[in-house]
C-alpha cells in the first residue's frame, strides 16, 4: 500500500469508481484520500460510503497532497483550478489528469509546465481489476510517481500522448463492444429456442472460456478456429454466415468511429 496522500479535485462517478476500487483492493486507505467538489451532495455521499475526507478547504488539503487527481469536466474552469494548485500545492506534487481531451501541454499551462503531469484515460472496469488505463507522462513525471496508484484500479499501458485518442476509442470503449456481442449472442440462443437464462449462462461461459483458452495456449484465434471447425461441420457453417454479415468490418468501423469522436471532443476543448 502506498502511504502518499491523494487529493481528488472533483468527486464524480469516475473519481468514485477509482476511490472505491483502490479502497476495496487495499492499495489506499480512506485516511489518505481527500476530495473537493462543488456538489455538496456528492461530498456527503463519498464521505458516508468510503470515509474519505471531504471537509477540508483546498488551501488546507493541497499542501499535503503528493498526487492531485484532476477529475472535472473539460468545460470546467481549469485555469482557476490551476491557480489554486500553483498557489497552495507543493511544487513536487504530481498532477494526474483524467479530464477528457485536455492535452499535457494545456494542463502544463494551467498547473505549471515544470510540474510532473500524468494524463490518464481510466479504464471502465475498475471494480474487476481488469482493463488497461492509458497513461502519458510529461518530461518531469516518472512511472514510480504514479504506478502504484494506477494499479489500484486496473492495469496500465504507457503510451505516447499521440496515441491517447486511439487508446480511448479502442481500449477504454472496448467493453462496450464486448457487452454488445454477448447480448447479441444470448439473443441468438433465445432465437434458436433456448430459454433466456440458459442462453445467457452459455454466452458468458463461452466468452470466459474462449479468453482463457487464448491465454493458456498462446495460440492465435485463427488457429483455434481451425481446430474447432471440421470440414462441412456445424461451426464452419455458422462462421460462413457470420462472415456474410460483415461482422469484422462492422466492428472495425465502430472502433474507428469511436476514435474519430474522441479526437473531435479534444478539438472542441
Amino acid at each position: 500500500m502506498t502511504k502518499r496522500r491523494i487529493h481528488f479535485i472533483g468527486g464524480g462517478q469516475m473519481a468514485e469508481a477509482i476511490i472505491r476500487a483502490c479502497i476495496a483492493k487495499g492499495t489506499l486507505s480512506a485516511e489518505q484520500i481527500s476530495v473537493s467538489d462543488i456538489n455538496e451532495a456528492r461530498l456527503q455521499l463519498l464521505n458516508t460510503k468510503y470515509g474519505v475526507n471531504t471537509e477540508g478547504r483546498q488551501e488546507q488539503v493541497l499542501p499535503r497532497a503528493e498526487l492531485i487527481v484532476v477529475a472535472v469536466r473539460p468545460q470546467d474552469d481549469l485555469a482557476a483550478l490551476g491557480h489554486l494548485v500553483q498557489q497552495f500545492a507543493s511544487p513536487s506534487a504530481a498532477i494526474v489528469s483524467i479530464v477528457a481531451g485536455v492535452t499535457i501541454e494545456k494542463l502544463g499551462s494551467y498547473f505549471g509546465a515544470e510540474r510532473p503531469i500524468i494524463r490518464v484515460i481510466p479504464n471502465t472496469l475498475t471494480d474487476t481489476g481488469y482493463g488497461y488505463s492509458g497513461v502519458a507522462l510529461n518530461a518531469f513525471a516518472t512511472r514510480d510517481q504514479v504506478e502504484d496508484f494506477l494499479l489500484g484500479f486496473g492495469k496500465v499501458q504507457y503510451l505516447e500522448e499521440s496515441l491517447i485518442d486511439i487508446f480511448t476509442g479502442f481500449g477504454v470503449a472496448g467493453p462496450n463492444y464486448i457487452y454488445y456481442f454477448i447480448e447479441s449472442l444470448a439473443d441468438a440462443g433465445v432465437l434458436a429456442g433456448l430459454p433466456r437464462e440458459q442462453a445467457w449462462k452459455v454466452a458468458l461461459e463461452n466468452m470466459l472460456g474462449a479468453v482463457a483458452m487464448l491465454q493458456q495456449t498462446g495460440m492465435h484465434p485463427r488457429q483455434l478456429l481451425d481446430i474447432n471447425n471440421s470440414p462441412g461441420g456445424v461451426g464452419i457453417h455458422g462462421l460462413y454466415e457470420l462472415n456474410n454479415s460483415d461482422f469484422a468490418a462492422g466492428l472495425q468501423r465502430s472502433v474507428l468511429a469511436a476514435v474519430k469522436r474522441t479526437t473531435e471532443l479534444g478539438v472542441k476543448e
Side-chain angles (χ1 to χ4, degrees), residues 206-219 224 228:
N206 280 342
M207 176 65 72
L208 291 169
V211 171
M213 185 68 78
L214 287 166
Q215 292 176 328
Q216 290 172 17
T217 64
M219 289 183 176
L224 290 173
N228 285 353

Side-chain angles (χ1 to χ4, degrees), residues 16-17 19-21 23 29-31 45-52:
E16 181 182 357
I19 290 169
R20 180 174 63 243
I23 291 177
S29 67
E31 291 74 21
L45 180 147
L46 293 172
N47 176 260
T48 301
K49 287 182 70 173
Y50 308 106
V52 298

Side-chain angles (χ1 to χ4, degrees), residues 212-254:
M213 185 68 78
L214 287 166
Q215 292 176 328
Q216 290 172 17
T217 64
M219 289 183 176
H220 190 277
R222 176 53 57 186
Q223 292 175 286
L224 290 173
L225 284 170
D226 287 343
I227 292 171
N228 285 353
N229 292 288
S230 58
V234 172
I236 195 66
H237 273 77
L239 286 177
Y240 173 76
E241 196 62 39
L242 192 61
N243 286 334
N244 285 335
S245 73
D246 199 30
F247 171 75
L251 178 59
Q252 291 158 8
R253 287 194 299 269
S254 298

Side-chain angles (χ1 to χ4, degrees), residues 11-265:
Q13 296 295 332
M14 196 67 237
E16 181 182 357
I18 292 171
I19 290 169
R20 180 174 63 243
C22 288
I23 291 177
K25 193 173 179 180
T27 58
L28 287 174
S29 67
E31 291 74 21
Q32 295 171 259
I33 302 171
S34 57
V35 185
S36 61
D37 196 286
I38 59 173
N39 186 334
E40 289 294 330
R42 285 297 299 172
L43 293 178
Q44 185 175 354
L45 180 147
L46 293 172
N47 176 260
T48 301
K49 287 182 70 173
Y50 308 106
V52 298
N53 175 19
T54 59
E55 296 181 356
R57 296 169 59 85
Q58 297 279 29
E59 56 267 30
Q60 296 171 322
V61 293
L62 282 172
R64 301 196 297 269
E66 292 164 87
L67 286 181
I68 300 167
V69 182
V70 183
V72 298
R73 300 172 303 171
Q75 62 268 36
D76 289 338
D77 194 348
L78 289 171
L81 295 178
H83 179 73
L84 279 172
V85 168
Q86 295 205 60
Q87 184 177 4
F88 295 109
S90 165
S92 62
I95 296 294
V96 178
S97 171
I98 64 170
V99 185
V102 182
T103 65
I104 287 176
E105 181 180 9
K106 180 66 74 173
L107 291 165
S109 72
Y110 296 138
F111 296 97
E114 296 186 359
R115 180 184 295 278
I117 295 177
I118 300 101
R119 184 180 173 192
V120 179
I121 304 299
N123 77 83
T124 57
L125 301 171
T126 51
D127 293 313
T128 70
Y130 290 99
Y132 285 102
S133 295
V135 183
L137 311 173
N138 75 350
F140 302 95
T142 67
R143 295 184 182 189
D144 289 343
Q145 288 173 298
V146 74
E147 188 161 283
D148 54 354
F149 167 62
L150 298 177
L151 291 176
F153 54 93
K155 301 174 183 178
V156 179
Q157 284 197 4
Y158 293 95
L159 310 165
E160 295 296 326
E161 191 178 18
S162 60
L163 298 177
I164 284 287
D165 287 349
I166 298 172
F167 184 88
T168 303
F170 172 66
V172 175
N176 289 343
Y177 313 127
I178 306 301
Y179 297 147
Y180 190 77
F181 172 77
I182 292 174
E183 178 190 42
S184 299
L185 183 59
D187 283 348
V190 176
L191 179 64
L194 284 178
R196 168 68 63 180
E197 183 179 358
Q198 189 171 4
W200 180 247
K201 288 181 178 179
V202 170
L204 286 178
E205 194 70 12
N206 280 342
M207 176 65 72
L208 291 169
V211 171
M213 185 68 78
L214 287 166
Q215 292 176 328
Q216 290 172 17
T217 64
M219 289 183 176
H220 190 277
R222 176 53 57 186
Q223 292 175 286
L224 290 173
L225 284 170
D226 287 343
I227 292 171
N228 285 353
N229 292 288
S230 58
V234 172
I236 195 66
H237 273 77
L239 286 177
Y240 173 76
E241 196 62 39
L242 192 61
N243 286 334
N244 285 335
S245 73
D246 199 30
F247 171 75
L251 178 59
Q252 291 158 8
R253 287 194 299 269
S254 298
V255 171
L256 292 178
V259 171
K260 181 174 181 288
R261 181 55 179 161
T262 303
T263 304
E264 291 170 351
L265 291 173

